[in-house]
Amino acid sequence: MNRSPAPLYFFRRFLFLASKNRIVKRHRIRYLLWECTNRCNLDCPGNTVYCRKEKHRLDMPAAHFLEALDTIPKRYRRRLRVIIAGGEPLLRTDLPEIGSEISKRGISWGMVTNGTLYSQIIQDKLSAVGLGYLYVRIDGMEATHDRARNNIPNFRYASQCISLALAGDRISVTVLTLVTGLNIHQMEPLYRWLSDLGVKSWRIFTADNLDGLSFRKLLDFIASKRRTAGKIPDIQFGCEGYLGPYEGKVRKAPFFCWSGVNIGAIYNDGGITGCLNMDKRTVQGNIYESGFYEVWQNKFILFRNRDWLKVSRCQNCEDFRYCLGNGLHYRRDTRTEVKVCHLSRLLESEK
């Protein structure tokens, strides 16, 4: 199989490289992720893709988040999207009021949910106050998905949530899937099931310990579906890392970790960082000590100057100018090398 990137990709990469420094210098915030709670009604062994569970931490008061949101100049709010995550956001009873306040500020918003508490009544309340985007995890077919949640029967609730949202025409639904050794063999049946459900947008991520052969198999699967323009038109590999020869085949745009450049995040304890998947040692400030936008403008140096990432295996890598050290969530701090290198994983699978 020809694994060289599509010709259009090279043009897009050229344009991106030519404008990257300007984009980074301006760092206009486009997405703000808010960890609104650490409570969750599921018991997943690991918390990933905008989900961090802590049992004993109180929810951030809505007023405190809205105060942080108000520090962002009005001229930037029209293109801003707030994504509410957790834990499970629907455990908060004030979500309709929060959504209403976000919409009053002219900002679009969405939510990550496991779907267990989602219903037609909830959907009507939230869509009435501007819910425009819904992100739902489906990690394999029913038995596999539920097994990843310590056998709590979540699959049917997540499926119902997706169906309800798709039945209306006001909410954009994206399914998120974490691929592991347990579900890699289910990608084809899962694709058919999602397409029959009417899903149009599917983002696929990988567990850190997925082996190279399985990883390549997954990328080939995504590339083939994108090439044939199947029933799920927007199927893409997630933003987690640089993919070498698969760039341009499994995603629309060239890889770049936008954390701290146009993506910001606020943890439930007020910590400010570039993404909810980041190590907490990368926190740049706290909304209880400084205004969010003040921190956004004056901190985040390690997110915007990536020279410090060129260490260890990255130091002499010919692809560094395209990769820039992979996803920032694979770094614990400025002294450690990258935890996962997707390009190395691909090269090792050829041995």
Side-chain angles (χ1 to χ4, degrees):
M1 176 181 291
N2 177 19
R3 295 193 176 102
S4 61
L8 181 60
Y9 164 75
F10 291 107
F11 178 67
R12 287 175 174 167
R13 187 171 72 178
F14 169 79
L15 291 180
F16 171 71
L17 290 174
S19 60
K20 178 175 64 68
N21 290 339
R22 176 177 55 84
I23 294 171
V24 172
K25 185 176 181 179
R26 293 172 67 185
H27 51 265
R28 298 283 170 78
I29 188 163
R30 296 288 181 252
Y31 297 90
L32 179 58
L33 314 177
W34 177 36
E35 185 184 59
C36 74
T37 182
N38 292 126
R39 295 179 293 138
C40 187
N41 54 348
L42 296 182
D43 188 25
C44 307
N47 305 316
T48 57
V49 192
Y50 312 140
C51 179
R52 192 188 306 267
K53 180 179 178 180
E54 297 177 24
K55 293 182 179 179
H56 305 298
R57 188 179 295 280
L58 296 175
D59 296 349
M60 177 187 291
H64 297 176
F65 171 72
L66 294 171
E67 288 172 8
L69 192 60
D70 284 339
T71 66
I72 299 174
K74 291 182 179 180
R75 63 184 180 275
Y76 299 137
R77 296 180 189 176
R78 185 176 61 85
R79 297 186 61 185
L80 176 64
R81 182 187 305 176
V82 169
I83 299 176
I84 301 175
E88 173 49 50
L90 287 174
L91 287 171
R92 293 190 64 130
T93 58
D94 58 352
L95 209 54
E97 290 75 21
I98 294 170
S100 177
E101 289 297 326
I102 294 172
S103 294
K104 285 179 183 177
R105 289 159 171 79
I107 299 170
S108 64
W109 68 281
M111 175 179 66
V112 182
T113 179
N114 62 41
T116 306
L117 302 175
Y118 200 84
S119 66
Q120 187 65 60
I121 294 174
I122 292 292
Q123 177 168 291
D124 291 344
K125 286 182 178 180
L126 296 181
S127 62
V129 294
L131 175 66
Y133 306 90
L134 199 65
Y135 305 86
V136 186
R137 280 279 293 274
I138 296 287
D139 292 334
M141 303 305 291
E142 185 166 7
T144 303
H145 174 92
D146 289 345
R147 179 181 174 185
R149 284 143 185 81
N150 282 333
N151 295 313
I152 295 176
N154 169 251
F155 183 87
R156 61 190 179 95
Y157 292 108
S159 304
Q160 181 183 31
C161 170
I162 294 169
S163 296
L164 283 173
L166 289 172
D169 58 358
R170 300 177 63 179
I171 301 173
S172 173
V173 179
T174 297
V175 170
L176 309 173
T177 297
L178 180 70
V179 177
T180 68
L182 295 176
N183 63 12
I184 179 65
H185 63 287
Q186 297 182 344
M187 290 299 101
E188 188 62 50
L190 186 57
Y191 178 89
R192 291 196 298 269
W193 180 79
L194 290 174
S195 60
D196 289 344
L197 207 60
V199 170
K200 302 300 181 185
S201 179
W202 188 16
R203 293 293 178 275
I204 299 174
F205 301 83
T206 59
D208 294 349
N209 60 356
L210 189 69
D211 67 88
L213 287 175
S214 296
F215 185 51
R216 186 179 291 278
K217 177 182 177 181
L218 172 65
L219 296 181
D220 284 335
F221 165 79
I222 298 172
S224 68
K225 297 303 181 186
R226 288 179 58 81
R227 188 170 57 251
T228 55
K231 293 183 178 180
I232 304 180
D234 185 23
I235 175 175
Q236 297 192 59
F237 187 74
C239 57
E240 64 187 67
Y242 174 71
L243 303 172
Y246 284 93
E247 289 291 328
K249 305 187 96 175
V250 296
R251 274 190 298 244
K252 290 180 182 177
F255 169 74
F256 181 68
C257 182
W258 294 98
S259 179
V261 176
N262 72 1
I263 301 173
I266 299 176
Y267 287 120
N268 186 41
D269 61 5
I272 300 169
T273 187
C275 174
L276 293 180
N277 286 333
M278 295 293 297
D279 190 285
K280 282 217 168 182
R281 279 167 284 199
T282 64
V283 165
Q284 301 294 291
N286 194 292
I287 65 169
Y288 293 112
E289 299 170 358
S290 306
F292 170 80
Y293 196 70
E294 176 189 349
V295 175
W296 177 260
Q297 287 292 82
N298 299 316
K299 298 291 183 70
F300 284 91
I301 301 301
L302 66 86
F303 291 82
R304 296 166 189 165
N305 183 343
R306 309 278 172 95
D307 292 344
W308 62 275
L309 296 169
K310 200 169 186 177
V311 296
S312 191
R313 74 170 97 176
C314 298
Q315 191 166 11
N316 298 312
C317 179
E318 294 179 356
D319 283 71
F320 183 82
R321 67 181 297 231
Y322 308 124
C323 172
L324 291 176
N326 222 27
L328 288 175
H329 63 288
Y330 290 121
R331 307 275 181 160
R332 290 192 305 167
D333 52 47
T334 58
R335 298 180 298 278
T336 56
E337 73 166 299
V338 63
K339 181 181 178 183
V340 174
C341 173
H342 294 73
L343 184 59
S344 295
R345 185 191 284 177
L346 286 170
L347 294 174
E348 288 167 3
S349 71
E350 296 179 339
K351 295 179 181 179

